[in-house]
Amino acid sequence: MIHHIYCMPLQRLSIISVVIIICYTFINLGLNNKIWKSVFNSVVFVVSLSVLIYITVLRRSEGNHQIDLTPFYTFVLAQQKPEMYRSFFMNTLLFVPLGLSMPYCLSKKPNKRNMFITIGFACVLSAVIEFLQYYYHLGRCETDDVIANTLGAAVGTLSYLLYICILKNRKENLMNSKFNDNQKLLMNLCAKSLFDKETIVPDEFDGKKLLEESKRQTVFPIAYSLIKDKCDVNEGRTFSQIIAKNIRVEYAHNEIHRVLSDNNIPYVIFKGVASASYYKEPMLRMMGDVDVLVCPENIAKADKLLKSIGFITTDDVDGDNMHIGYKRKDGVTCELHRRVNGVPQSEVGDTVNKYLSNIFDSVQEYETANGSCVVPDKFHHGLILLLHTASHLTHEGVGLRHLCDWAVFVNSFSDDEFISLFEKPLNEMGLWRFAQLLTLCCVKYLGCDAKAWAGEADDELLDRIIIDILNGGNFGHKDPERYSQIKYISDRKEGTVGKRNPVLQLFSSINAKTKIEFGFVNKSKLLLPIGWLFTVCKYLYMVIMGKRSLDGISTINSANSRKNIYNEFHLFEK
């Protein structure tokens, strides 16, 4: 085979080499799984290195013992022996596979430095081979062989250069097509408000669209407070209404604290005011529900106490009885939780629950402007933030507010403090990588201080994460189709991102949804088909009523795209 390749016309060999270099680039672009990409390139590198050593050293027998250190002397000889051109070309071709594969093996993150390391390694390797050939009388020791081999490795690295250029172009296209100026400015305003990062507000921008985007991301007060001089009076009214609601919600926290404490019911209020406490200006965080966690045995008593201060039951929001929903005349809503949401029903979920089991024993009292309430300690607050964000992000989506909550929280720790408190538990729960990626997004887009423990991630992956957050908006308000995509993405029972293909994932999701919404099917497997029928009929009814749309190819493709991002989180994987 080697003799056959050597005898091929140089023009054909050149064309084949170019095709292989281009194909190798696109093979690596197509390998989305980093492990498979690493294995593929490692195998090619080992095989090419083995073949190279076999041809240049092991295959040869003792005989010739000459040395020629004159550079490019081959081209002088080629004037009389044209075959020397072929010899130089084949020596170049010999090291191309090494140049193709080695740069990909040096680091996961594309870096042009890998090309120069590869070329330097090839030069040293070639010099060692020439020395061995001379020392063991295996052939001529020539400077031109080192030059040709190094040139071959350099030609091989062109595949890696093409790979880097295509990735960069993809990133620019992605950012240009998905990332508009208002979104960039909005994130810069968040960085200014949260961390005093220098932000230049352009003289001309579409303030109306910027504030509309901020509402969908639930960070309107932050944006408005920094550009209020350029906003109309209606936006000012909206800002005042939000601040007024925040005050009412804060007051409700104090009322709930009073009635539960007076009646000796252990409780903790999580998210909301607990998250706001880490902000420089807590009132600029838009408040939602008052989330109250009590022990299951205290639910009935707490329910009566909430009703005694004006709350009215709306409905049991979750089919699995996760919490009870309330509202009252002043517009404040409340959720009385039996347990923390986002915990998977699996062995890992048991580990999560173990860490949550002592949440009432380590609560902290938080002083508000009108009183006080009880919130989780730092560990439990961080854990709940991760569980809540993971649950909603992999379902309907989250907005910038969730990312801001994590940014100000994580920024309150030194590296050593965070590692000491979180690294071991989060690794046991399969949430460490998710915490790292969220933090890297906060550093890159919201101005959070760099954290050594967060490690590294491809810029492209971080771009895809932030774009997914921005495209969904808070709880999917920007893209209602996300609700249709959930069944192709998440394993509801396990609380993780599914590993199955879209069809199997769909059936798995329908199965889990049926068991949650129609509890009677859990009594016998024979009842499951009836539950499926009810689930399908419910879906068709919602389609007819215009509350859902029929799934098309675009829905499945979008779901797969999101799923590829979420698989990088390795949620609840030990």
Side-chain angles (χ1 to χ4, degrees):
M1 179 178 178
I2 296 174
H3 178 74
H4 176 71
I5 294 174
Y6 188 88
C7 295
M8 287 179 66
L10 294 183
Q11 186 178 9
R12 185 184 302 174
L13 275 174
S14 300
I15 294 173
I16 292 174
S17 300
V18 171
V19 171
I20 290 174
I21 289 172
I22 295 174
C23 288
Y24 198 86
T25 300
F26 283 95
I27 288 173
N28 277 281
L29 287 169
L31 290 172
N32 293 322
N33 188 298
K34 293 181 180 179
I35 296 176
W36 282 110
K37 184 181 293 185
S38 178
V39 169
F40 171 71
N41 286 291
S42 297
V43 169
V44 174
F45 174 73
V46 170
V47 170
S48 62
L49 188 62
S50 301
V51 171
L52 191 153
I53 293 174
Y54 171 75
I55 292 175
T56 58
V57 179
L58 300 179
R59 182 170 174 264
R60 300 194 177 196
S61 56
E62 189 175 345
N64 197 6
H65 180 67
Q66 296 179 359
I67 184 169
D68 189 347
L69 301 180
T70 305
F72 303 109
Y73 188 66
T74 298
F75 295 99
V76 176
L77 296 177
Q79 295 177 4
Q80 298 177 348
K81 298 180 179 179
E83 189 63 22
M84 297 303 293
Y85 288 118
R86 177 179 293 276
S87 176
F88 188 88
F89 182 84
M90 297 308 295
N91 278 326
T92 301
L93 203 61
L94 187 62
F95 271 64
V96 168
L98 182 74
L100 280 174
S101 56
M102 185 174 171
Y104 295 96
C105 299
L106 294 176
S107 66
K108 293 180 180 179
K109 190 174 182 178
N111 193 327
K112 289 183 180 179
R113 182 180 60 183
N114 295 348
M115 298 172 59
F116 299 104
I117 294 174
T118 300
I119 294 170
F121 174 80
C123 182
V124 172
L125 178 63
S126 179
V128 170
I129 290 173
E130 293 302 310
F131 170 76
L132 292 175
Q133 288 179 347
Y134 174 76
Y135 187 82
Y136 291 105
H137 298 202
L138 300 177
R140 292 173 62 88
C141 174
E142 299 178 85
T143 301
D144 280 3
D145 284 356
V146 177
I147 294 173
N149 296 159
T150 305
L151 179 61
V155 170
T157 61
L158 293 177
S159 166
Y160 190 69
L161 179 61
L162 179 61
Y163 173 80
I164 291 175
C165 291
I166 291 175
L167 283 183
K168 183 179 179 181
N169 187 57
R170 279 184 179 180
K171 178 183 175 181
E172 290 175 351
N173 289 338
L174 182 67
M175 298 299 285
N176 290 333
S177 61
K178 304 283 188 178
F179 219 68
N180 61 51
D181 291 339
N182 282 327
Q183 290 171 333
K184 293 177 185 176
L185 179 55
L186 181 58
M187 289 188 290
N188 289 337
L189 292 175
C190 289
K192 170 69 174 175
S193 177
L194 302 180
F195 307 114
D196 286 327
K197 297 297 179 180
E198 184 177 348
T199 299
I200 299 175
V201 179
D203 293 331
E204 294 185 6
F205 65 94
D206 194 330
K208 186 175 181 180
K209 287 186 177 180
L210 173 68
L211 292 177
E212 185 61 35
E213 179 70 24
S214 72
K215 292 173 186 176
R216 292 176 175 178
Q217 304 299 335
T218 328
V219 291
F220 175 84
I222 289 176
Y224 177 82
S225 66
L226 294 172
I227 60 167
K228 56 186 176 183
D229 293 340
K230 301 182 180 182
C231 300
D232 62 35
V233 66
N234 290 327
E235 301 297 353
R237 289 196 189 98
T238 301
F239 176 78
S240 298
Q241 290 167 358
I242 290 173
I243 298 300
K245 181 185 177 183
N246 283 354
I247 293 172
R248 291 196 300 273
V249 172
E250 185 179 277
Y251 182 73
H253 281 74
N254 302 329
E255 288 184 285
I256 292 170
H257 168 71
R258 176 178 54 80
V259 296
L260 295 181
S261 298
D262 289 349
N263 288 274
N264 299 315
I265 296 179
Y267 83 97
V268 63
I269 292 178
F270 58 97
K271 296 184 295 186
V273 75
S275 294
S277 67
Y278 291 89
Y279 282 66
K280 285 172 53 182
E281 298 183 61
M283 276 296 161
L284 291 183
R285 184 195 184 271
M286 285 183 69
M287 301 294 253
D289 303 316
V290 182
D291 291 285
V292 186
L293 176 68
V294 299
C295 296
E297 59 268 25
N298 289 324
I299 283 289
K301 190 174 180 181
D303 174 67
K304 291 181 180 179
L305 291 171
L306 288 177
K307 290 176 179 176
S308 73
I309 56 174
F311 283 102
I312 301 171
T313 307
T314 53
D315 53 8
D316 202 335
V317 180
D318 284 343
D320 59 352
N321 296 321
M322 182 74 72
H323 60 255
I324 303 172
Y326 302 85
K327 66 178 179 180
R328 68 180 186 182
K329 292 180 180 180
D330 61 359
V332 177
T333 56
C334 175
E335 290 180 355
L336 183 61
H337 290 257
R338 295 174 174 87
R339 56 187 180 274
V340 175
N341 62 330
V343 180
Q345 298 179 40
S346 63
E347 183 180 343
V348 177
D350 294 337
T351 304
V352 177
N353 284 321
K354 181 188 74 173
Y355 279 106
L356 289 170
S357 62
N358 65 338
I359 188 170
F360 298 112
D361 301 329
S362 57
V363 295
Q364 300 174 344
E365 191 163 328
Y366 173 65
E367 296 292 332
T368 67
N370 302 300
S372 63
C373 62
V374 172
V375 297
D377 64 5
K378 285 196 168 187
F379 172 75
H380 289 106
H381 177 67
L383 176 55
I384 290 171
L385 278 182
L386 289 174
L387 291 170
H388 181 69
T389 304
S391 175
H392 287 292
L393 180 59
T394 57
H395 283 70
E396 67 274 20
V398 298
L400 276 182
R401 184 184 64 179
H402 288 79
L403 202 59
C404 290
D405 286 351
W406 180 254
V408 292
F409 171 73
V410 82
N411 210 57
S412 68
F413 292 87
S414 68
D415 282 348
D416 291 340
E417 288 173 339
F418 193 90
I419 290 171
S420 174
L421 188 61
F422 284 103
E423 184 175 24
K424 181 177 179 293
L426 292 185
N427 273 315
E428 289 180 8
M429 292 181 273
L431 289 169
W432 181 247
R433 185 53 181 161
F434 182 53
Q436 288 180 310
L437 289 172
L438 275 188
T439 303
L440 290 171
C441 283
C442 293
V443 171
K444 183 173 182 181
Y445 304 106
L446 296 181
C448 177
D449 294 340
K451 303 295 179 182
W453 58 264
E456 294 182 349
D458 292 339
D459 283 342
E460 183 183 0
L461 174 59
L462 298 181
D463 290 340
R464 290 165 65 199
I465 293 172
I466 193 66
I467 288 169
D468 180 70
I469 290 173
L470 291 171
N471 285 349
N474 193 52
F475 301 136
H477 288 166
K478 283 184 67 177
D479 185 8
E481 192 181 79
R482 285 176 169 248
Y483 289 92
S484 299
Q485 296 169 7
I486 294 173
K487 54 184 171 288
Y488 299 103
I489 298 174
S490 297
D491 279 328
R492 288 174 177 262
K493 183 178 179 181
E494 289 80 9
T496 59
V497 179
K499 303 295 183 184
R500 307 173 183 87
N501 66 53
V503 176
L504 293 178
Q505 186 63 52
L506 173 62
F507 282 111
S508 174
S509 296
I510 292 175
N511 205 40
K513 184 178 178 68
T514 299
K515 290 181 178 180
I516 291 173
E517 295 189 353
F518 304 103
F520 68 88
V521 303
N522 295 309
K523 296 179 181 179
S524 172
K525 291 183 178 180
L526 296 176
L527 297 173
L528 200 54
I530 300 175
W532 293 340
L533 180 62
F534 282 5
T535 300
V536 172
C537 289
K538 180 181 176 181
Y539 171 72
L540 292 175
Y541 170 76
M542 296 184 77
V543 169
I544 294 171
M545 298 301 294
K547 296 180 179 180
R548 290 286 187 273
S549 59
L550 285 173
D551 298 346
I553 298 299
S554 62
T555 300
I556 298 173
N557 287 340
S558 296
N560 275 336
S561 178
R562 290 176 61 199
K563 190 174 178 180
N564 288 335
I565 298 173
Y566 305 152
N567 276 327
E568 297 290 339
F569 300 157
H570 300 289
L571 290 172
F572 306 113
E573 296 177 13
K574 289 188 176 181

